[in-house]
């Protein structure tokens, strides 16, 4: 485990952790509100009122503006912003991605961040955008690697150093970059140049980028998803192992008259009601908020309240072992997020290695639940069951079952398992009475595998008539299959 990052609780790839910095310990997952040194919609000293423990600002903006630079060098970064907690500083890479160049070197901006007392220092990496040619991504990644190696030698004090993971939309480059940085022992690992993916709702590709980067890093390393500030995707990103987010959305959206919720964003002019009970929404009606002289400030505050409310819910779900249920609910807010959810479960084999083996209760939320790590884990362990003699498989108690040598319960999406395990996680699952196709497919496939693994046993499967699936006929070839309505009528 990292000396600066302690993991307290885990669920799926998500975790609750403690990140130690020179200006205090931060509990993750959390959001770092972005502070523009020139324009502060909400003063940094008020950020704790919303739940912020750490902020992020841009050292390049401070470096380039003489009046800000002089104050920062004299009073320090925390004095400049009026915030006594941890502050992370970006290096100017964002400006580099937008304008193509910056008027500072890697060494200059590293030294400046160090002098003004940044808690987490970011080198001047090359943020390679999505969809570029592989050769360009590879060449820019090599430049970034050189700069990060130089930064690691340069920063050796108590300040934390971030090692951004680049590689565009090429998973193999992301994993290669992450693996290289892991050996250099950075304290925080931001995943860079992902904002264009989020802006275009390319969540499936974002999932692949995160997964590839995480696979190259140590599981104990804190990961920052750069530019991820909308609460609708926090649960998904946390489930993949992201610990830190930064949000300028609260202010940018407020300026544009937009109102953030976990299910998407509304234009305030189109709202008749405020679907929130934060201090702003409890005090104002929709009409009053539209006409308020300080509307932008009030919207910014609401957006922050909504942002941190979701972070707290994500943390509670990790505590309760319910994170994947929250992910599946949130990803139904937008079709592109649903693409992200489906892509997430293509990485179930990797997630299964991180996911705790014991939790509370498995809740089936939809077809995607059939691909959860718990279901995959069960399928991989079917060879642990040794069955002999007469075996009955049923969905619920039936007459005469005690005449059989062994009794198995059938529950989708898992399949057949010993009746003695019905109250054990995950077989205590809450599932629909009528399984969907995907759930039945998983359960019947596992049942067929179990039958094939135990050729000496004689199986009887008491099947529900509602189970409409081609694999039913495959089971009929290997076992005696009787519909429940016909049981004991023979």
């Amino acid at each position: 485990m990292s000396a600066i990052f302690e993991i307290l609780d885990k669920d799926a790839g998500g975790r609750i952790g403690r990140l130690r910095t020179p200006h205090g310990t931060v509990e993750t997952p959390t959001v770092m509100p972005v502070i523009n040194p020139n324009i502060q919609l909400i003063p940094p000293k008020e950020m704790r009122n919303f739940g912020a423990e750490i902020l992020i600002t841009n050292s390049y903006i401070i470096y380039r503006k003489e009046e800000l630079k002089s104050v920062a060098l004299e009073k320090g970064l925390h004095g400049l912003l009026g915030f006594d907690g941890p502050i992370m500083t970006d290096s100017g890479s964002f400006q580099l991605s937008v304008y193509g160049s910056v008027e500072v070197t890697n060494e200059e901006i590293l030294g400046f961040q160090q002098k003004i007392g940044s808690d987490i220092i970011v080198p001047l990496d090359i943020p390679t955008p999505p969809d570029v040619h592989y050769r360009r991504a590879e060449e820019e990644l090599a430049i970034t690697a050189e700069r990060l190696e130089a930064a690691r030698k340069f920063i050796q004090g108590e300040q934390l150093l971030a090692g951004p993971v680049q590689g565009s939309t090429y998973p193999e480059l992301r994993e290669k970059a992450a693996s290289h940085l892991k050996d250099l022992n950075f304290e925080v690992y931001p995943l860079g140049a992902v904002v264009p993916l989020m802006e275009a709702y390319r969540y499936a590709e974002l999932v692949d980028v995160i997964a590839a980067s995480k696979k190259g890093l140590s599981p104990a390393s804190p990961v920052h998803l750069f530019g991820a500030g909308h609460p609708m995707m926090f649960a998904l990103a946390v489930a993949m192992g992201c610990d830190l987010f930064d949000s300028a959305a609260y202010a940018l959206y407020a300026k544009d008259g937009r109102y953030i919720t976990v299910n998407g964003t509304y234009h305030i002019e189109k709202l008749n009601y405020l679907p929130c009970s934060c201090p702003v929404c409890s005090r104002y009606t929709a009409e009053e908020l539209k006409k308020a002289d300080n509307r932008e400030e009030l919207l910014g505050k609401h957006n922050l309240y909504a942002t941190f409310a979701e972070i707290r819910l994500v943390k509670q779900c990790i505590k309760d072992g319910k994170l994947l249920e929250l992910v599946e609910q949130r990803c139904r807010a937008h079709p592109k997020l649903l693409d992200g959810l489906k892509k997430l479960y293509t990485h179930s084999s990797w997630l299964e290695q991180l996911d705790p083996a014991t939790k509370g209760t498995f809740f089936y939320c939809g077809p995607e639940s059939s691909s959860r790590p718990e279901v995959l884990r069960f399928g991989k362990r079917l060879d642990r069951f040794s069955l002999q003699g007469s075996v009955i498989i049923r969905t619920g108690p039936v007459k005469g079952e005690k005449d059989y040598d062994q009794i198995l319960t059938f529950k989708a999406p898992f399949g057949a398992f010993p009746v003695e395990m019905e109250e054990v996680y995950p077989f205590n699952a809450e599932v629909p009475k009528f399984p969907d196709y995907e759930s039945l497919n998983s359960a019947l496939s596992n049942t067929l595998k179990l039958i094939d693994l135990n050729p000496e046993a004689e199986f009887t499967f008491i099947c529900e008539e509602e189970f409409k699936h081609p694999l039913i006929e495959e089971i009929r070839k290997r076992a005696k299959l009787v519909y429940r309505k016909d049981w004991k009528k023979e």
Side-chain angles (χ1 to χ4, degrees), residues 48 69 79 101 120 156 162 259 274 286 301 417 434 447 460:
R48 291 191 188 275
K69 182 178 181 180
S101 64
I120 305 177
Q156 293 289 338
Y259 178 100
L274 301 179
K301 288 182 176 180
F417 53 86
F434 303 108
T447 302
T460 299

Side-chain angles (χ1 to χ4, degrees), residues 39-52:
I39 307 169
Q40 297 179 12
L41 179 64
I42 299 170
K45 64 182 179 181
E46 296 182 14
M47 284 295 176
R48 291 191 188 275
N49 298 336
F50 303 93

Side-chain angles (χ1 to χ4, degrees), residues 3-18:
I4 58 99
F5 187 59
E6 178 186 7
I7 297 174
L8 306 177
D9 292 279
K10 296 190 292 183
D11 189 21
R15 57 271 186 102
I16 295 176
R18 288 198 186 110

Side-chain angles (χ1 to χ4, degrees), residues 139-156:
E139 290 173 350
E140 293 183 351
L141 184 58
I143 297 172
T144 289
E146 291 178 5
R147 293 183 179 184
L148 298 188
E149 289 171 11
R152 182 68 284 179
K153 294 175 183 177
F154 190 84
I155 304 296
Q156 293 289 338

Side-chain angles (χ1 to χ4, degrees), residues 61-73:
I61 292 176
I62 299 171
Y63 180 83
R64 290 281 295 149
K65 193 165 186 176
E66 190 55 43
E67 54 264 44
L68 294 175
K69 182 178 181 180
S70 60
V71 174
L73 288 171

Side-chain angles (χ1 to χ4, degrees), residues 227-435:
H230 200 296
M232 69 188 294
M233 51 80 63
F234 287 166
L236 176 63
V238 170
M240 298 208 66
C242 297
D243 307 289
L244 293 168
F245 305 92
D246 62 275
S247 176
Y250 76 95
L252 295 175
Y253 283 26
K255 183 177 181 181
D256 196 33
R258 290 190 285 172
Y259 178 100
I260 288 177
T261 77
V262 294
N263 293 316
T265 306
Y266 296 90
H267 283 276
I268 188 64
E269 294 297 338
K270 296 181 180 180
L271 280 178
N272 300 103
Y273 306 95
L274 301 179
C276 173
S277 57
C278 76
V280 173
C281 298
S282 297
R283 181 178 176 184
Y284 293 86
T285 66
E287 290 304 314
E288 289 171 340
L289 184 55
K290 293 173 190 177
K291 298 174 182 178
D293 293 336
N294 59 338
R295 186 182 81 166
E296 184 177 337
E297 177 189 351
L298 293 172
L299 277 174
K301 288 182 176 180
H302 157 78
N303 290 343
L304 278 175
Y305 281 124
T307 295
F308 282 100
E310 181 68 0
I311 285 292
R312 290 190 293 272
L313 179 58
V314 168
K315 288 180 181 178
Q316 188 60 49
C317 287
I318 294 174
K319 283 280 190 182
D320 295 341
K322 301 290 184 187
L323 181 57
L324 288 176
E325 280 93 338
L326 180 64
V327 173
E328 293 184 10
Q329 293 165 21
R330 291 291 184 254
C331 284
R332 281 173 168 75
H334 194 285
K336 298 298 185 182
L337 272 174
L338 191 57
D339 288 340
L341 173 63
K342 293 176 180 179
K343 180 62 73 170
L344 168 70
Y345 286 146
T346 67
H347 298 284
S348 277
S349 294
W350 166 67
L351 278 180
E352 191 263 326
Q353 301 171 39
L354 307 172
D355 192 47
T358 302
K359 302 183 191 179
T361 303
F362 179 109
F363 276 76
Y364 191 87
C365 300
E368 294 78 23
S369 298
S370 301
S371 301
R372 278 178 53 169
E374 296 95 327
V375 181
L376 179 67
R377 182 181 295 135
F378 173 68
K380 290 165 60 176
R381 295 180 177 181
L382 288 171
D383 58 359
R384 298 185 180 187
F385 296 124
S386 179
L387 304 173
Q388 296 178 348
S390 59
V391 180
I392 187 170
I393 303 172
R394 76 319 186 255
T395 56
V398 295
K399 290 181 179 180
E401 65 180 33
K402 293 184 179 179
D403 296 335
Y404 289 79
D405 295 321
Q406 289 176 287
I407 306 171
L408 305 185
T409 290
F410 179 88
K411 179 182 280 189
F414 297 99
F417 53 86
V419 67
E420 295 83 3
M421 301 178 68
E422 285 181 328
E423 300 303 319
V424 177
Y425 183 85
F427 309 115
N428 62 346
E430 293 289 343
V431 300
K433 181 178 179 181
F434 303 108

